[in-house]
Amino acid sequence: MSASFKGSNSSKFQVSEFILMGFPGIHSWQHWLSLPLALLYLSTIGANILILTTIYQDPSLKQPMYLFLGILSVVDMGLSTTIVPKILAIFWFDAKAISLPECFAQIYAIHCFLGMESGVFLCMAFDRYVAICHPLRYPLIVTNSFITKSTLFMVLRNGLFVIPVPVLAAQRHYCSRNKIEHCLCSNLGVTSLACDDRRPNSICQLVVAWLIMGGDLILIILSYALILRSIFRLKSAEAVSKALSTCSSHLILIFFFYTAVVVVSVTHLAETKNALIPVLLNVLHNTIPPSLNPIVYALRNRELREGFQKLFCLGLQKK
């Protein structure tokens, strides 16, 4: 598809749309990746809807830990839906064109959902910290009001803090190239096409990432340091095992999420000669965690598994 341009008074041109080329170097057979990607997306939506339905139907799961898990499921579905349908449209219908406003909106949505996921992990870490380190005060601190306020804070924080990223990207001048060697509109991928200086965009993204995800990660590490200190002071081996079990699922997801963030960031900064690697890692980082989160919790959480069983039994009884 040829580039589309619109004129300006300064005798320069501004592209009117971008072309998402897909995975670099494998354009001829990248459509074969659509099947596993579609299955991954369907499993993400199905598993997270199952978790939300189970939490809603089972009164025993109306606990802060599971309410935060439900919020995480909503965020995961939002992140996947922001990305995967457009990638499938590229592979199936050759719908590679995306307007500038749509592209900048996708940049905003991706950054917003990733920041919210990080924020939910922080809320879950705080929940475990209070439950293990201050169990007697837990019902007084982690209330429904606290959950509502913390969720609202995370939405406002990420909704407002990430605004400069797409705004600065929109202010760049795109005068010649409009083909993006990517499956989605990433900030660095889009601004690499700009004809003017893109350093403000790179600096802005770095600052936003450190303020949001970096700050969350520091607080999460601090929370779990205090949790582990409290756990290993317990005299009962059974109590230690139970406390570690309640945190294990959360720790697995945190480790995977932040490790993926670091790996994706390093590959972009390293500017590797193989352009496929950072693009592939970026897509996987935005699609695998939303499908992995419900699976990890379902496999490692007894109360949630019992909730699934009750839900399925209720469904069979209605039939």
Side-chain angles (χ1 to χ4, degrees):
M1 186 182 295
S2 61
S4 298
F5 301 95
K6 61 183 180 181
S8 70
N9 295 330
S10 60
S11 73
K12 292 184 178 180
F13 291 93
Q14 171 83 355
V15 302
S16 60
E17 63 183 19
F18 293 123
I19 309 299
L20 295 170
M21 302 302 294
F23 291 108
I26 60 170
H27 296 155
S28 59
W29 58 273
Q30 64 183 1
H31 59 279
W32 291 107
L33 298 176
S34 63
L35 180 58
L37 194 61
L39 292 174
L40 188 67
Y41 178 63
L42 291 175
S43 68
T44 298
I45 300 300
N48 283 293
I49 287 177
L50 177 61
I51 282 185
L52 286 171
T53 306
T54 303
I55 293 172
Y56 178 77
Q57 293 284 353
D58 193 340
S60 67
L61 297 179
K62 298 291 192 302
Q63 303 174 34
M65 181 173 70
Y66 297 108
L67 295 178
F68 281 127
L69 179 59
I71 296 168
L72 182 63
S73 292
V74 173
V75 173
D76 284 339
M77 288 191 290
L79 179 60
S80 288
T81 303
T82 300
I83 294 168
V84 179
K86 179 58 182 177
I87 298 177
L88 294 178
I90 293 171
F91 291 166
W92 288 345
F93 309 113
D94 202 35
K96 298 179 179 179
I98 183 169
S99 68
L100 270 65
E102 287 176 310
C103 191
F104 300 138
Q106 189 181 54
I107 291 174
Y108 173 79
I110 291 172
H111 282 76
C112 191
F113 280 122
L114 285 175
M116 287 180 65
E117 184 149 358
S118 176
V120 174
F121 283 141
L122 174 59
C123 290
M124 296 171 84
F126 178 77
D127 171 75
R128 291 300 84 203
Y129 163 73
V130 178
I132 293 172
C133 299
H134 304 283
L136 298 180
R137 297 176 60 192
Y138 181 78
L140 300 176
I141 297 175
V142 187
T143 61
N144 288 336
S145 175
F146 170 80
I147 296 171
T148 302
K149 290 176 181 177
S150 59
T151 303
L152 183 61
F153 172 75
M154 289 302 163
V155 171
L156 291 175
R157 182 196 73 165
N158 297 293
L160 296 175
F161 268 44
V162 303
I163 287 176
V165 177
V167 168
L168 284 175
Q171 289 178 345
R172 302 277 68 77
H173 187 69
Y174 304 94
C175 60
S176 56
R177 298 176 298 155
N178 73 335
K179 292 183 179 180
I180 305 173
E181 290 292 337
H182 211 306
C183 301
L184 51 91
C185 287
S186 69
N187 180 49
L188 297 180
V190 171
T191 55
S192 66
L193 303 179
C195 301
D196 50 0
D197 187 12
R198 68 166 184 157
R199 280 179 295 180
N201 300 75
S202 301
I203 294 171
C204 176
Q205 179 160 336
L206 186 63
V207 170
V208 169
W210 272 107
L211 284 176
I212 295 179
M213 293 190 182
D216 289 347
L217 181 58
I218 290 170
L219 292 174
I220 289 170
I221 292 172
L222 178 61
S223 297
Y224 272 98
L226 295 173
I227 287 171
L228 290 174
R229 187 184 69 171
S230 179
I231 286 175
F232 290 120
R233 284 180 176 177
L234 298 173
K235 296 180 180 180
S236 168
E238 183 181 350
V240 170
S241 176
K242 184 177 180 181
L244 289 174
S245 178
T246 61
C247 299
S248 59
S249 302
H250 188 212
L251 282 171
I252 291 171
L253 298 181
I254 287 173
F255 178 79
F256 186 85
F257 178 79
Y258 286 103
T259 300
V261 169
V262 171
V263 171
V264 170
S265 301
V266 168
T267 54
H268 273 291
L269 291 173
E271 296 183 352
T272 176
K273 293 181 180 179
N274 189 347
L276 175 62
I277 294 176
V279 173
L280 184 60
L281 287 175
N282 198 346
V283 172
L284 292 177
H285 170 240
N286 290 317
T287 53
I288 289 182
S291 63
L292 183 68
N293 293 345
I295 294 172
V296 170
Y297 267 95
L299 291 176
R300 300 191 61 86
N301 191 285
R302 180 178 56 82
E303 291 179 329
L304 197 58
R305 290 198 302 270
E306 291 175 353
F308 291 153
Q309 292 172 1
K310 291 178 185 178
L311 185 64
F312 289 135
C313 290
L314 183 63
L316 291 174
Q317 289 175 2
K318 288 184 178 180
K319 289 182 179 180

